Amino acid sequence: MSSAVEQIKARLSIIDVVGSYIKLDKAGTNYKAKCPFHNEKTPSFYVSPGRESYHCFGCDKGGDIFSFVEELEGVDFIGALKILAEKAGVKLENEDKYEKSEKGRTSVLLTSAIEFYRRELVKNTNALNYLKGRGLKGETVTKFKIGYAPDDWRAVGNYLKKQGFSDDEIEKAGLSIKSPSGSYDRFRGRIMFPVYNISGSPIGFSGRIFEPKITEGKQEPAKYINTPQTVVYDKSRALFGIDKAKVEMRKKNECILVEGQFDLIMAHQAGTENTVAVSGTALTEDHLMMINRLAEKLTMAFDGDSAGLKASARAIGLALSLEMDVRLVSMGNAKDPADVIKDRPEDWLNAVENSKHIVDFFLDSLTSHNLTKDVFSKQVKKQVLPYVKSIKSRIEQAKFVNKISELLKVTEGAVWEDLKETVPAFVENNGVAVGKEIKQRSPNENTKEFNLKKMVWSFLEWQKDISIQTSDQNKKNALGDKEQRFRELIKDGEYEKIDRFLSPKRNQLILEVEIPFSGATNLEKEIDSALDSLEEEILKNEVGTEWLKIKEAEKNGNAEKVAIHMTNFQKMSKRLDEFKKRSA
Ligand SMILES: [Zn+2]
């Protein structure tokens, strides 16, 4: 552990940190609150100042101040470290190093460019009037730091060179293009929208064409151009507005997704500040995972026939498979949200409010097209079933199967049959499912056996803490016996493995048993019963293996082995019967 982490932990209590985000109520020695990570009516989120930990009994999230900030702000560990270091007034050693690194230099360069473009916008009345005409208020232009790139070959390039940046640095930041006769500005005669990462550092620009006089060759210039791939900009990960939307997304548990820069900015201006935009690319799996960390509901205000929506199919399928509620906003004849918001902001708010589940949206849209039964049925199979197949919940799937069977006038059984052969939307053409690494957390961590081991281990660690304070030798012996039984149950060497694995989360794990069991009248009995459950579970898992071994030995004609495994099998079955009788 670096000393910065220790310094931060010494200066900030978990109550200060968590309390700065949500309201905490005292509950004994701990505090409780409504969980900020899932929706609930009665609080099941606990914070323990003694253990410097939090745990939610509703959604099972827990950890320390760092994981709390990571989870709530949607940043990685380094991001949380920066936020907490600032709160604690701790200087990070690597900060100077970061500023000198390529990423750090690029970020400083981009900040400089943003200021340059902003000053240019103020000078350009036409551009200002254009923004006003699109409905943007002055404060919105300031909030999003919108600027203007002059219609000139070397405006920003020359400015940045005067600021001490080299041609090479300017080019690598994506602001200029090298040519045999020297570098020239990439963005010329364009309204400039700066793009930030989730932590609020600038990573690039999206530039919209505006009165260009100089164009290369005879080609019509693109309406929008974006920063190319750089050390800080990756288009498959850039989500416009995420830095400004993240807190609202978390609060509302909803992310509104739009396709364009103006849509994004106008949506924020209209009060829907949980809006982000993909621009110049489809929604990718990386985008989706970023959204998923902050909100469970994804409301897409995309044009229903747009290429963007089709290209986002895989990410949408992934969202459905992660049990997200994916909805589409229908805006009638208006093609984009920016225009609706400009003239009738309340229509926008209503449209968002009345969004439809993506499956309903497609079914309703197909129904409205008056297709022949044959075409309709084909379209449902091609467009709609891959989404239905992606949905994780069978109950929700059944709801749509029922609706489809009614629309197609076929039996539900026939729809289920079709669904069997349907490839889910999140599977690529080559058959590879996306987002696999995300869903496949270490599998044995989710078994009942592992959870029981974790519980007993946490119990014992908790009691060890308490027994240090007591001089009662009987209690100490009893605890020793229980630990001995635990070690015997989980077999040689595994205790050390589990101990090593669980120790880093010791405080949080103790909290998980301390809160529900601290009021128990007979704690020793509780521990014994947890040990019994663990023994029963281990036996259940092993008795099957023993049975297979008998079968194999029989097949090989090895009578000796059959006898050994048979004895084991009978012993295990007898012990299992005892447990069954006890709980009956
Ligand atoms: Zn929770």
Side-chain angles (χ1 to χ4, degrees):
M1 276 280 163
S2 79
S3 63
V5 170
E6 281 156 16
Q7 279 180 49
I8 290 167
K9 281 194 164 175
R11 290 195 201 179
L12 294 176
S13 88
I14 188 140
I15 300 301
D16 295 335
V17 174
V18 176
S20 74
Y21 291 94
I22 54 171
K23 193 179 155 289
L24 293 172
D25 291 317
K26 198 136 191 5
T29 52
N30 298 315
Y31 290 79
K32 66 178 179 178
K34 278 189 202 159
C35 179
F37 305 123
H38 84 278
N39 270 326
E40 61 178 7
K41 285 204 181 75
T42 46
S44 46
F45 181 86
Y46 285 81
V47 185
S48 159
R51 304 220 167 269
E52 288 292 336
S53 303
Y54 65 92
H55 180 72
C56 173
F57 290 92
C59 66
D60 213 35
K61 290 215 157 92
D64 60 8
I65 50 174
F66 291 96
S67 60
F68 184 82
V69 171
E70 273 175 52
E71 193 70 52
L72 202 76
E73 295 259 6
V75 295
D76 59 10
F77 179 76
I78 300 295
L81 188 65
K82 276 191 200 158
I83 291 168
L84 289 169
E86 196 170 323
K87 241 188 196 139
V90 169
K91 176 127 178 75
L92 294 177
E93 276 170 35
N94 291 330
E95 221 158 30
D96 299 338
K97 232 190 262 166
Y98 175 76
E99 270 159 25
K100 283 182 196 126
S101 72
E102 195 183 350
K103 278 188 181 175
R105 280 287 282 177
T106 306
S107 168
V108 177
L109 183 153
L110 291 171
T111 306
S112 221
I114 291 170
E115 291 314 316
F116 171 80
Y117 290 138
R118 290 182 73 188
R119 284 193 295 271
E120 290 300 317
L121 177 68
V122 177
K123 290 187 222 160
N124 192 316
T125 323
N126 284 350
L128 277 174
N129 282 338
Y130 168 74
L131 291 173
K132 212 170 157 188
R134 294 289 308 251
L136 270 69
K137 291 181 186 160
E139 69 223 44
T140 307
V141 173
T142 309
K143 180 181 168 192
F144 284 87
K145 300 204 164 115
I146 299 168
Y148 178 72
D151 197 8
D152 191 319
W153 289 105
R154 284 186 186 86
V156 81
N158 284 342
Y159 172 78
L160 290 170
K161 276 175 88 168
K162 267 188 228 150
Q163 304 293 309
F165 297 99
S166 68
D167 277 334
D168 200 40
E169 284 178 317
I170 302 165
E171 192 220 331
K172 278 188 174 158
L175 289 179
S176 66
I177 297 168
K178 251 190 199 143
S179 85
S181 52
S183 342
Y184 60 94
D185 291 356
R186 178 183 300 272
F187 300 94
R188 303 177 308 280
R190 286 181 183 267
I191 306 275
M192 297 297 282
F193 301 97
V195 186
Y196 298 85
N197 65 15
I198 194 162
S199 317
S201 300
I203 53 174
F205 292 94
S206 182
R208 189 197 189 276
I209 196 81
F210 184 75
E211 298 184 337
K213 286 189 288 289
I214 321 173
T215 52
E216 280 165 82
K218 291 182 188 85
Q219 245 180 354
E220 183 82 358
K223 198 167 168 194
Y224 279 93
I225 55 175
N226 295 324
T227 295
Q229 184 88 17
T230 70
V231 283
V232 292
Y233 189 87
D234 175 355
K235 73 170 177 181
S236 70
R237 296 181 55 84
L239 261 184
F240 297 73
I242 186 74
D243 55 309
K244 295 175 184 70
K246 64 183 178 187
V247 174
E248 281 299 299
M249 277 167 68
R250 167 73 76 198
K251 231 190 251 169
K252 295 188 175 139
N253 198 22
E254 178 186 19
C255 170
I256 300 172
L257 186 70
V258 294
E259 284 185 285
Q261 290 297 337
F262 279 106
D263 299 332
L264 168 79
I265 291 166
M266 291 300 281
H268 276 250
Q269 189 174 290
T272 37
E273 289 176 317
N274 51 335
T275 305
V276 295
V278 285
S279 181
T281 169
L283 180 69
T284 66
E285 290 89 58
D286 284 331
H287 291 144
L288 199 265
M289 290 319 296
M290 217 187 289
I291 294 169
N292 180 250
R293 289 173 74 177
L294 295 160
E296 287 169 317
K297 184 173 171 186
L298 174 63
T299 307
M300 301 173 75
F302 277 37
D303 174 358
D305 301 317
S306 80
L309 188 59
K310 285 197 188 85
S312 303
R314 272 171 47 203
I316 294 171
L318 176 62
L320 292 169
S321 77
L322 292 170
E323 295 182 88
M324 287 177 78
D325 182 14
V326 185
R327 309 183 74 85
L328 267 178
V329 175
S330 169
M331 283 169 302
N333 292 326
K335 281 268 163 177
D336 61 58
D339 294 333
V340 177
I341 298 169
K342 183 189 154 210
D343 300 327
R344 301 173 308 275
E346 64 284 356
D347 282 8
W348 161 251
L349 298 177
N350 282 334
V352 169
E353 186 72 37
N354 295 316
S355 63
K356 285 180 190 167
H357 189 281
I358 185 149
V359 173
D360 285 323
F361 181 92
F362 279 127
L363 285 175
D364 293 357
S365 146
L366 285 174
T367 311
S368 72
H369 278 80
N370 283 324
L371 305 168
T372 63
K373 196 189 165 196
D374 208 29
V375 176
F376 185 69
S377 160
K378 270 189 193 139
Q379 285 300 322
V380 168
K381 269 184 210 167
K382 204 176 125 199
Q383 265 195 37
V384 184
L385 287 187
Y387 289 124
V388 178
K389 179 90 171 202
S390 305
I391 295 171
K392 202 173 173 201
S393 147
R394 283 282 272 195
I395 297 170
E396 216 189 334
Q397 257 185 358
K399 194 182 83 190
F400 291 122
V401 165
N402 171 269
K403 181 167 177 177
I404 291 167
S405 82
E406 277 173 15
L407 285 172
L408 295 180
K409 300 188 176 65
V410 296
T411 63
E412 287 189 19
V415 181
W416 281 115
E417 276 305 307
D418 279 339
L419 202 58
K420 249 191 222 164
E421 280 150 33
T422 304
V423 178
F426 57 81
V427 174
E428 263 179 292
N429 294 334
N430 60 12
V432 178
V434 297
K436 255 191 322 200
E437 71 283 2
I438 303 143
K439 275 176 278 172
Q440 283 182 355
R441 291 196 187 106
S442 175
N444 10 345
E445 277 182 50
N446 284 324
T447 61
K448 192 174 173 194
E449 186 179 317
F450 178 82
N451 284 331
L452 284 165
K453 285 175 186 167
K454 194 167 80 175
M455 183 182 176
V456 172
W457 181 88
S458 313
F459 247 126
L460 293 173
E461 290 300 311
W462 173 33
Q463 292 307 305
K464 274 183 207 166
D465 278 6
I466 292 173
S467 78
I468 291 171
Q469 298 151 17
T470 175
S471 52
D472 187 339
Q473 197 53 44
N474 284 341
K475 261 193 181 161
K476 282 187 176 167
N477 291 343
L479 184 63
D481 290 347
K482 290 188 203 317
E483 187 173 325
Q484 189 55 36
R485 183 175 170 208
F486 181 50
R487 279 173 186 268
E488 280 166 11
L489 279 178
I490 62 176
K491 310 249 155 58
D492 304 335
E494 219 204 323
Y495 180 85
E496 278 66 32
K497 223 157 89 188
I498 287 186
D499 200 51
R500 219 177 314 127
F501 185 74
L502 297 178
S503 284
K505 290 170 108 183
R506 188 175 188 271
N507 273 337
Q508 186 207 329
L509 291 172
I510 293 177
L511 185 65
E512 281 176 39
V513 289
E514 189 183 48
I515 286 168
F517 288 104
S518 56
T521 41
N522 192 342
L523 252 176
E524 288 200 14
K525 225 174 116 192
E526 300 284 358
I527 301 178
D528 283 335
S529 114
L531 279 162
D532 285 348
S533 305
L534 175 61
E535 184 179 349
E536 190 180 355
E537 192 59 27
I538 291 174
L539 278 171
K540 271 189 200 159
N541 291 334
E542 281 178 356
V543 79
T545 317
E546 214 56 43
W547 179 249
L548 289 176
K549 280 181 185 162
I550 296 170
K551 290 282 137 196
E552 201 186 288
E554 275 175 357
K555 213 169 74 189
N556 298 335
N558 190 334
E560 201 181 330
K561 271 198 173 166
V562 172
I564 295 170
H565 292 304
M566 190 54 91
T567 316
N568 286 344
F569 180 78
Q570 281 162 346
K571 239 194 265 171
M572 288 176 181
S573 304
K574 203 176 144 215
R575 183 83 176 131
L576 271 173
D577 275 346
E578 283 171 30
F579 282 119
K580 254 183 225 152
K581 269 179 215 144
R582 226 183 281 176
S583 60

